[in-house]
Amino acid sequence: MPPRPRPSLAAALAAALVAALLVLLPGSTTARAAPVLLSQGRPATASSTEGAGTPASAAVDGDNGTRWSSQFADPQWIQVDLGAPAQLSQVVLRWETAHARAYRIELSTDGSNWTTAHSTTAGTGGVQTLDITGTARHVRVYGTERATAWGYSLWEFQVYGTTGTGPTLPGGGDLGPNVIVFDPSTPGIQARLDQVFQQQESAQFGSGRYQFLFKPGTYNGLNAQIGFYTSISGLGLSPDDTTINGDVTVDAGWFNGNATQNFWRSAENLALNPVNGTDRWAVSQAAPFRRMHVKGGLNLAPNGYGWASGGYIADSKIDGQVGNYSQQQWYTRDSSIGGWSNGVWNQVFSGTQGAPAQGFPNPPYTTLDTTPVSREKPFLYLDGSEYKVFVPAKRANARGTSWGNGTAPQGSSIPLSQFYVVKPGASAATINQAVTQGLHLLFTPGVYHVDRTIQVNRPGTVVLGLGLATIVPDNGVTAMKVGDVDGVRLAGFLIDAGPVNSPSLLEIGPAGTTTDHAADPTTVQDVFIRVGGAGPGRATVGMVVNNHDTVVDHTWIWRADHGDGVGWETNRSDYGFRVNGDDVLATGLFVEHFNKYDVQWNGERGRTIFFQNEKAYDAPNQAAIQNGSIKGYAAYQVADSVDVHEGWGLGSYCYYNVDPTIRQEHGFQAPVRPGVRFHDLLVVSLGGNGQYEHVINGTGAPTSGTSTVPSTIVSFP
């Protein structure tokens, strides 16, 4: 595809200056609800159309790949019926090349009598965002002078405001029984922690979901053992506001000392003084350790140094040494550590102070000084007695934590009153109403079955889950879709495929979008996708990213290899992660076991820092994975049309336990061009159950035997 035009340097500097001026420090300014998109899907009419393929309805369908266009004459108009009078605040026009030089935005309550809310004789085309005021049911764009020889043409005509009609959903409220809040004076904290752990320790596919929240203060003598679907967090603005003189522990006693199934749990925003000087966090996928301050060391291996399969640290400070020991792979981002020991296959660091020097493949360290783009995960905190969600600002070329050093964190605060607090039993219709009404979403711990897609179409919407809140599409719909808008934040939840095949489980942006979101990208953080395991589940694709500039920061997209509803065709899912947008960045990308390609990257200028993959265990034979003349589907495929792409620290492993004779052509597939570059690649045959013939394309030595020794490439091409 052709390169996407980027903003000029002057525009970028101006945007950066505006962003800096708009940064809200905690308590400085009360955040306001964003306007609500009222026009999408509403009836639209026009003075004329160029042809049957460009109707008025195409300008209000939410798809930037369809458009309305008029006949080649002046004047022309397009109007939308909002269905009821609304208090209007903004109109966004996404012009095609054939735009208006002179036009008016007009309002009407009856569709007959019109007043002018905006007019210009110097229209520039492109995307125009117009602030307007007024109450109207009908809104129209009335063009009086074309800028080209063609007609008038709009990809999208969007009207924002509030309706003020129908029942209004309340914001805020209590967080439900599975959010357990402690303060230093709470009696029986250890007993409550132990009670939940006993229930959740081995409940890998259970329905229990829990969130522990610790108010600022000091807590003594605790050992918070963290089981499945359990999250522990501090409620301060800084991790150091909430100190546990004790431990937050994950071990693998439930699984005979094997930590490779310690999934779906998290620790965030706490300071720890470990009892013996070192905290233990022996996890594998989907177990983030974020915004933590360990005043000592951190041990990533289970007791006895059994197997462990990789994890993720971000925005954390570990004063002592991180003991990697048996961890096969790990990613650490924008943190500070006192040192790092050992490494099995693939240890990746970006923006981490104290990280070991680049050394791949021996030692297996991939080290980047900075992270090109990062924005930390939103989190719940207490401002006095009021709950708020802090939304950190975007950082470029970040290094070290976003907190500490005596400076206030950069970002904005949103009071809980501007969130719809979603509780089990809430319908998708109610959730969508909340977003349309202008509320953000806070999912409390639980399992949510939805019969229609959750639509996040409002710029800047925060969707935050507590306690690994889980969304299940029941009837083959896509669980959640994000519109072609700026600044959406998705964080902290799990999407579990339902028994009826979904075309996808999460979509970021509509197909064919051309909008630049570089100034305020959508971020997807600790959002996990699962197909099977908890029961029958099917989906064609796990996650699809269409919006340009999206940042996917830590995800595990998993077609289950164990649990219920598992089999080559039973939990069929051909593709894990598909990127169609340009300038998408993935930091901490875990994708495993899909029937065909685990990752398909079609967009330009994509970047991945750390990738962990296992091919599907359960392929019945060589024929089942044959990809035309190629033996097997690559774990990570960059489309032949791509000119620029880059990846650092990527690994793919095979364990074909049904048919160990299967041969996999390669782990990675990409066009050979100067702009397509990979650093520090490896493939591994686990115990000789299947073999790779190459690392990438036809390059790299084959794996062989049963010794589980990686085949590596330091640089490609």
Side-chain angles (χ1 to χ4, degrees):
M1 66 181 65
R4 182 164 59 96
R6 307 301 297 163
S8 68
L9 177 60
L13 291 172
L17 177 60
V18 170
L21 293 172
L22 292 178
V23 164
L24 302 177
L25 297 181
S28 63
T29 304
T30 300
R32 298 180 180 274
V36 178
L37 178 59
L38 303 174
S39 53
Q40 189 162 306
R42 301 299 307 172
T45 54
S47 54
S48 68
T49 59
E50 182 181 358
T54 57
S57 59
V60 293
D61 63 0
D63 185 347
N64 284 336
T66 62
R67 64 187 176 94
W68 163 72
S69 61
S70 75
Q71 294 178 358
F72 301 177
D74 295 314
Q76 301 287 340
W77 53 262
I78 181 173
Q79 70 184 53
V80 60
D81 181 353
L82 303 178
Q87 292 74 50
L88 305 182
S89 59
Q90 194 176 84
V91 168
V92 177
L93 304 176
R94 299 182 186 274
W95 292 102
E96 198 247 356
T97 302
H99 65 277
R101 178 174 290 113
Y103 66 92
R104 303 189 296 269
I105 304 296
E106 298 183 332
L107 312 180
S108 174
T109 57
D110 58 10
S112 299
N113 300 295
W114 299 90
T115 60
T116 298
H118 173 86
S119 66
T120 183
T121 57
T124 59
V127 179
Q128 295 180 292
T129 301
L130 310 171
D131 292 330
I132 62 170
T133 58
T135 299
R137 171 174 171 168
H138 305 270
V139 183
R140 77 178 177 185
V141 182
Y142 194 95
T144 56
E145 181 184 353
R146 291 166 291 142
T148 71
W150 303 297
Y152 298 86
S153 183
L154 282 165
W155 294 111
E156 282 293 295
F157 169 25
Q158 297 175 312
V159 180
Y160 291 86
T162 56
T163 62
T165 60
T168 300
L169 294 170
D174 73 273
L175 301 177
N178 285 9
V179 176
I180 302 163
V181 183
F182 300 122
D183 65 43
S185 65
T186 303
I189 295 176
Q190 186 65 56
R192 188 71 172 109
L193 293 169
D194 291 345
Q195 177 189 17
V196 171
F197 177 66
Q198 288 164 12
Q199 177 182 319
Q200 298 300 113
E201 179 183 12
S202 59
Q204 183 171 179
F205 298 110
S207 59
R209 304 286 187 274
Y210 292 92
Q211 174 75 56
F212 291 120
L213 296 175
F214 284 75
K215 293 182 180 180
T218 301
Y219 300 78
N220 295 314
L222 297 181
N223 180 19
Q225 298 182 83
I226 306 300
F228 284 100
Y229 313 109
T230 305
S231 297
I232 184 169
S233 307
L235 284 171
L237 195 56
S238 165
D240 289 330
D241 293 341
T242 309
T243 298
I244 293 177
N245 291 319
D247 296 88
V248 172
T249 302
V250 177
D251 207 343
W254 74 279
F255 202 48
N256 300 315
N258 179 346
T260 59
Q261 292 185 23
N262 280 351
F263 312 140
W264 304 305
R265 62 199 75 197
S266 67
E268 300 182 48
N269 204 32
L270 291 164
L272 304 177
N273 278 307
V275 169
N276 68 356
T278 299
D279 191 58
R280 186 185 301 277
W281 187 255
V283 299
S284 289
Q285 291 82 6
F289 197 79
R290 283 186 183 269
R291 203 176 170 80
M292 296 288 286
H293 184 187
V294 180
K295 299 177 180 181
L298 185 64
N299 185 342
L300 304 180
N303 186 29
Y305 303 100
W307 292 342
S309 187
Y312 172 93
I313 293 171
D315 202 27
S316 293
K317 188 174 189 293
I318 317 298
D319 292 347
Q321 180 169 272
V322 179
N324 181 72
Y325 303 116
S326 55
Q327 281 287 354
Q328 295 160 347
Q329 61 273 321
W330 197 277
Y331 176 51
T332 305
R333 178 182 64 72
D334 297 352
S335 294
S336 172
I337 60 177
W340 189 275
S341 72
N342 198 45
V344 180
W345 296 331
N346 190 28
Q347 316 291 309
V348 179
F349 308 84
S350 68
T352 299
Q353 297 166 339
Q358 171 73 30
F360 188 89
N362 186 25
Y365 299 146
T366 299
T367 302
L368 288 74
D369 279 348
T370 62
T371 305
V373 179
S374 58
R375 185 162 57 184
E376 300 305 330
K377 178 183 175 183
F379 61 92
L380 192 68
Y381 79 104
L382 276 174
D383 184 2
S385 60
E386 183 183 7
Y387 282 110
K388 294 182 178 179
V389 171
F390 190 74
V391 185
K394 186 182 77 168
R395 297 200 290 167
N397 298 315
R399 181 171 173 82
T401 63
S402 68
W403 54 272
N405 304 315
T407 59
Q410 299 292 293
S412 59
S413 290
I414 306 173
L416 190 64
S417 61
Q418 294 184 15
F419 282 79
Y420 178 60
V421 179
V422 192
K423 296 177 181 175
S427 68
T430 300
I431 294 167
N432 284 336
Q433 179 189 342
V435 176
T436 301
Q437 188 178 301
L439 295 172
H440 305 274
L441 299 176
L442 182 71
F443 281 85
T444 63
V447 179
Y448 298 84
H449 289 264
V450 297
D451 61 356
R452 67 187 72 178
T453 300
I454 297 172
Q455 303 278 359
V456 185
N457 289 324
R458 196 182 72 248
T461 302
V462 176
V463 181
L464 178 62
L466 300 179
L468 277 296
T470 302
I471 302 169
V472 184
D474 285 332
N475 55 352
V477 300
T478 296
M480 185 178 293
K481 292 184 179 182
V482 174
D484 188 11
V485 295
D486 279 353
V488 171
R489 317 291 185 91
L490 307 182
F493 56 90
L494 170 65
I495 297 177
D496 210 349
V500 179
N501 187 75
S502 294
S504 63
L505 295 173
L506 174 63
E507 291 187 16
I508 310 300
T513 175
T514 59
T515 309
D516 191 300
H517 296 290
D520 191 10
T522 286
T523 51
V524 184
Q525 300 177 286
D526 301 346
V527 174
F528 309 122
I529 305 288
R530 182 170 66 191
V531 183
R538 295 173 67 92
T540 303
V541 190
M543 185 190 302
V544 180
V545 178
N546 293 315
N547 275 355
H548 300 318
D549 309 293
T550 301
V551 177
V552 179
D553 176 45
H554 189 227
T555 186
W556 185 36
I557 305 172
W558 185 61
R559 175 182 167 266
D561 60 90
H562 62 275
D564 293 332
V566 171
W568 184 249
E569 295 294 344
T570 306
N571 62 327
R572 181 87 193 186
S573 191
D574 284 348
Y575 311 104
F577 183 62
R578 179 180 292 158
V579 179
N580 298 319
D582 295 343
D583 301 286
V584 171
L585 171 66
T587 52
L589 179 61
F590 299 74
V591 189
E592 297 190 300
H593 306 312
F594 287 83
N595 295 76
K596 292 184 178 178
Y597 292 116
D598 297 278
V599 171
Q600 289 181 298
W601 209 295
N602 303 316
E604 283 290 354
R605 297 177 297 279
R607 292 175 290 184
T608 295
I609 304 174
F610 181 89
F611 171 65
Q612 187 268 328
N613 165 263
E614 286 181 342
K615 294 301 298 174
Y617 293 172
D618 54 346
N621 49 50
Q622 187 76 46
I625 66 163
Q626 194 68 17
N627 180 15
S629 62
I630 299 173
K631 298 173 184 176
Y633 290 81
Y636 189 110
Q637 182 217 30
V638 179
D640 288 343
S641 59
V642 170
D643 290 320
V644 178
H645 188 91
E646 195 160 11
W648 297 262
L650 285 68
S652 178
Y653 324 127
C654 72
Y655 183 68
Y656 289 115
N657 61 347
V658 175
D659 181 0
T661 69
I662 289 176
R663 308 288 295 183
Q664 177 80 23
E665 183 90 8
H666 42 228
F668 303 90
Q669 179 182 340
V672 181
R673 294 194 177 99
V676 178
R677 297 177 293 172
F678 288 93
H679 315 273
D680 302 354
L681 298 175
L682 66 97
V683 294
V684 181
S685 168
L686 303 181
N689 289 274
Q691 300 289 348
Y692 291 92
E693 297 186 346
H694 304 285
V695 179
I696 180 168
N697 298 352
T699 302
T703 58
S704 62
T706 61
S707 57
T708 313
V709 174
S711 177
T712 63
I713 287 181
V714 174
S715 179
F716 180 88

